[in-house]
Amino acid sequence: LTITTAMMLPLPARAAEAVGETEMVRGPSTLLRAKALTPLAVQDPLFEGDFVRTGDAAFARLLLVTDTRINLGPQSEIGLDRFIADLGGEITIGGPVVFDRPDDLPKIDLQLRSSFGRIGVRGTRFFAGPSNGSYAVFVDRGEVTVTAGGVTRVVSAGEGVNLQADDQPPSAPQTWGQGRIEAAFA
């Protein structure tokens, strides 16, 4: 899902209060809000309906009000489609993303949507993005559900799945080797 196609999705009105802010930006990155595209900067507030995109060799770290950190790698994007700070919601992702929510916080019902499927989050740290020639999800801490092609896989800590297309099921969860894990989180 690209920002261009994401702009065509119906989104609710922007929340009155910020749901997070930009903690770090390295390299050219943009913020799309209400059809206005601006350079992304440190301490930019983030609102429901915003889209953040990183450029080539760029990185950004976002902090949501729930103490959830989202690290965007090069050529990544994230849309805060529907997000309620304490309850969860839905976030659109594209490109490599690391999601990190402390285990000691209350669980929220959060769905991450990618062009390959949906990722259900329950307080965890995971990677979603390109890995070994396919789109993959790896869980470092906690547990996620990955749904594609009408099949849902539960992925536990130390495991990952590969996704080829949204109409094909995720691979069976497998333990990843240290090299692949390090490459994903780099």
Side-chain angles (χ1 to χ4, degrees):
L1 183 65
T2 64
I3 284 185
T4 306
T5 47
M7 286 174 46
M8 298 184 314
L9 296 174
L11 296 174
R14 180 169 59 107
E17 294 183 29
V19 297
E21 74 173 18
T22 305
E23 276 193 325
M24 182 273 294
V25 178
R26 262 193 333 224
S29 300
T30 57
L31 172 65
L32 177 66
R33 177 179 296 143
K35 299 183 183 178
L37 191 64
T38 60
L40 183 66
V42 173
Q43 295 183 340
D44 273 349
L46 300 171
F47 294 93
E48 185 176 304
D50 285 355
F51 282 85
V52 173
R53 177 180 239 173
T54 57
D56 295 338
F59 295 88
R61 184 173 59 237
L62 312 177
L63 176 64
L64 303 182
V65 294
T66 57
D67 287 331
T68 299
R69 283 189 168 71
I70 299 175
N71 299 296
L72 301 173
Q75 299 180 1
S76 293
E77 59 190 45
I78 188 165
L80 300 172
D81 298 339
R82 292 187 305 267
F83 184 78
I84 301 168
D86 296 324
L87 302 176
E90 186 169 286
I91 294 175
T92 302
I93 60 172
V97 173
V98 173
F99 180 92
D100 191 359
R101 180 173 168 82
D103 287 333
D104 59 348
L105 292 177
K107 304 297 185 216
I108 61 173
D109 187 14
L110 181 65
Q111 293 284 317
L112 275 77
R113 182 178 42 161
S114 80
S115 58
F116 291 93
R118 291 186 180 271
I119 303 167
V121 179
R122 295 281 189 199
T124 191
R125 181 175 189 257
F126 70 90
F127 162 83
S131 174
N132 284 7
S134 68
Y135 192 85
V137 176
F138 173 79
V139 178
D140 182 50
R141 190 178 68 243
E143 183 177 272
V144 301
T145 58
V146 179
T147 303
V151 175
T152 299
R153 305 268 194 230
V154 176
V155 188
S156 300
E159 296 178 333
V161 294
N162 296 322
L163 297 119
Q164 300 303 319
D166 65 352
D167 62 346
Q168 296 178 11
S171 67
Q174 294 181 335
T175 302
W176 282 18
Q178 192 60 35
R180 187 173 183 189
I181 295 168
E182 289 173 6
F185 284 104

